[in-house]
Structures are given as structure tokens and as C-alpha cells.
Amino acid sequence: MTGASVGSGTTVPARRGSAPGPARSAYLLPRQPDPTRAPLRLFCFHHAGGAASSFSGWQERLGGAVAVVPVQLPGREHRVKEPRLREFARLVDELDEALDPLLDAPYAFYGHSMGGIVAHALTRRRIERGLTPPRQLLVGACPPPHRPHLDDGVPPQRRTDEELTAWMASLGGLPELVRRYPEWLRLAVAVLRDDLSLVHSHTSGRGATTALDPLPVPIRALAGSSDPLVTPRLAAEWARHTTADFRVFTLAGGHFFHRSTPGIVLRLVASLLGAEHSARS
């Protein structure tokens, strides 16, 4: 399986509101800063079973040179009452349409685990439509697109709740607070299963020899040194998916290094985006 976790987004929905800026989309957080005020916009796509809150604190640390735009999938946090998507192509269609008004200025993508696959697919869609792609595609703890996300071939729909719970816990992706409340745990597992099904529908037919046209976009792959799912060696295989510059970076931590060592991760992200002088420790 690919990396996934349960962040917030497994409890009660936040109060609804409209996103600022030209794109009034449910995919954006209700109280997000106006992304039109920074010279570069960083759209962040969360991991399976997670939510946009996994990027909380990023804006404060990256400073004013980058507008952090966390993207929220339905079925969690302020979108908890909405049905979760189960078709990957539909997700990309919706993201392309919903985010389009904010992709009219310099921007980059960061996707963690499942979010990396989403960001890659959206980048491909923008290029196919003849639109300006992101300046960089940053992927963290994410297997390259030619690798299946479920390593044993068992579809997530056939996983029991107990299996998914144990797996989440083994990755350090199951907060203690969620474990204490059976209702929250059931919802967390349900969100994870649907998200993994979404990825599985997109990657299950691929193997290591499947040909995908590389993209003319620089790719930066980030990997945790102790991640059992996406090793630095596996992350390095992202190189085949770009005709532009590629680099891989190994960071201390496991699959969720972006949460365990946010300062280190964001200093690297700021450096890659050319915003290191405004980044805060």
C-alpha cells in the first residue's frame, strides 16, 4: 500500500464559508489567506485518509513570498458531509475546473503520498489542455506513477477494518485521540479505504514497465529515511517522469516526515521555491 494516514477531518465539520479570491471552491479552505497576494502559489494535496489541515502552519513558516493553498477533498473536515469521490478521473476533472481561476499566476504543486499522484495527474491534465503547468512538481513519500500503490495487489475494498487500522498504526498515522473513540475510528478507516480505492482505480493496471510520457516540468521527490513504503531509492524513480530537471532529497523521518519535522521540510521547500529568505524557522 501507499502511505496514508488519518489527520483531522475525522471529527465534526468546521463552519462553512466561502474561499477568498477568484475561485470560490469547496476544494479550498474557508478561511484561507487570499492566494492572489503572493508572487508564487503553492497548492498542497493531502495524503489518503488525511485532510488539508495536515498543511497547517505551512503558511506561517513559508512567509509572504509563497501563498500556501491547501486543497481539501470531499468527505472530511469542512466537507465531511459531502460524498467522497471514488473515481480518479472525476477527481482530476473537478480539480482542474475548480482550481483553474487560481492557476493564472506562477504556481507549484506539493503532494504527499496519494497527493503526489493527484498533483502529477493534474499537472498532466493542464499540459494536455495547453495550459501553463506548475513551475515545479514536489512529491513527498509518494511512489512514482508507474509503481502500483497497493504492493500486494489486494484491493482496499477487500481489506477489513482491523487490517487497515493495524496498517495505519504501523505507519504512525493513527492519532491516539482517534483510537479512543470507536465512531471516529470507523470514520477514519472509511475515509482511508475510499481514498485508497481512488488511487487503486488509477494505478492498479500499471507495472514497472508501463510507459507514461514524461512531463516538461521539474520534479523534486522527497523521501523519509525510515519510510518503509517509499524508500529514497524508490522515490528516485520519479526521474523517468520528467524531461526537465530532477532531484531527490532524503529527509529524516518516516512516511509522515512533513508532520514530524515540519521545520526541516519547509526550509527545503522554501529553498526549492526560491523563497528561503522569507521562510521562518
Side-chain angles (χ1 to χ4, degrees), residues 5-36:
S5 172
V6 176
S8 53
T10 60
T11 56
V12 296
R15 188 172 63 186
R16 291 180 181 273
S18 59
R24 293 182 177 272
S25 167
Y27 279 98
L28 306 182
L29 296 183
R31 296 182 180 87
Q32 163 189 319
D34 187 348
T36 65

Side-chain angles (χ1 to χ4, degrees), residues 4-5 12 21 28 36 58 83 91 98-99 101 123 133 140 143 150 190 208 222 227 236 241-242 246 265 269 271 279:
S5 172
V12 296
L28 306 182
T36 65
W58 280 41
L91 169 62
L99 300 181
T123 299
L150 297 174
L222 284 60
D227 185 351
H241 295 281
T242 178
F246 172 78
V265 173
V269 170
S271 176

Side-chain angles (χ1 to χ4, degrees), residues 185-207:
L185 182 58
R186 284 194 295 272
L187 178 57
V189 172
V191 172
L192 175 64
R193 179 178 283 109
D194 284 349
D195 284 353
L196 289 177
S197 298
L198 192 71
V199 178
H200 185 66
S201 70
H202 180 61
T203 62
S204 59
R206 294 184 182 152

Side-chain angles (χ1 to χ4, degrees), residues 7 48 85 102 136 146 173 175 252 255 275:
L85 293 177
L102 287 178
Q136 293 186 62
H146 62 278
H255 195 68

Side-chain angles (χ1 to χ4, degrees), residues 120-244:
H120 175 264
L122 183 56
T123 299
R124 181 175 296 278
R125 175 63 57 83
R126 304 293 293 180
I127 292 172
E128 289 173 348
R129 291 183 56 204
L131 301 173
T132 303
R135 288 190 169 185
Q136 293 186 62
L137 172 60
L138 282 62
V139 292
C142 181
H146 62 278
R147 293 289 189 182
H149 273 226
L150 297 174
D151 53 15
D152 57 6
V154 179
Q157 300 92 324
R158 291 171 52 188
R159 311 269 177 176
T160 66
D161 285 4
E162 292 75 18
E163 288 173 336
L164 289 177
T165 298
W167 180 68
M168 281 192 291
S170 71
L171 290 179
L174 188 61
E176 182 60 33
L177 182 62
V178 174
R179 299 190 200 192
R180 297 176 186 173
Y181 296 92
E183 182 178 352
W184 291 5
L185 182 58
R186 284 194 295 272
L187 178 57
V189 172
V191 172
L192 175 64
R193 179 178 283 109
D194 284 349
D195 284 353
L196 289 177
S197 298
L198 192 71
V199 178
H200 185 66
S201 70
H202 180 61
T203 62
S204 59
R206 294 184 182 152
T209 60
T210 300
L212 289 173
D213 292 335
L215 305 178
V217 175
I219 295 179
R220 315 301 186 217
L222 284 60
S225 59
S226 58
D227 185 351
L229 297 178
V230 185
T231 64
R233 182 175 180 178
L234 178 59
E237 293 186 21
W238 273 95
R240 72 167 67 181
H241 295 281
T242 178
T243 57

Side-chain angles (χ1 to χ4, degrees), residues 19-64:
R24 293 182 177 272
S25 167
Y27 279 98
L28 306 182
L29 296 183
R31 296 182 180 87
Q32 163 189 319
D34 187 348
T36 65
R37 294 183 178 273
L40 179 69
R41 301 166 191 174
L42 178 63
F43 293 82
C44 300
F45 301 87
H46 59 75
H47 54 275
S53 63
S54 63
F55 301 106
S56 63
W58 280 41
Q59 184 64 73
E60 291 77 5
R61 288 178 180 268
L62 287 177

